[in-house]
Amino acid sequence: MPFAVALVVFACALCAVDLTLTLAVVRRLRDHTTRIDALYAAVAGELEAKQENNAV
């Protein structure tokens, strides 16, 4: 019986660690998404400025 309890405790601890790491990855991906969106917006602004300068 103590073996089963230890196994369940170990499984719960492993699941908690996995959940923590998964949430950390999701958080990091959200951060990267905002950075990439800002980069795309900056590049789009530069392209529009070049197109306006070429049109004149």
Side-chain angles (χ1 to χ4, degrees), residues 9-43:
V9 168
F10 177 73
C12 289
L14 189 62
C15 287
V17 169
D18 184 43
L19 180 62
T20 303
L21 293 175
T22 302
L23 291 176
V25 168
V26 168
R27 190 169 153 194
R28 178 73 72 150
L29 286 173
R30 286 181 184 167
D31 182 47
H32 282 267
T33 300
T34 57
R35 289 182 184 190
I36 290 172
D37 288 344
L39 181 64
Y40 281 147
V43 170

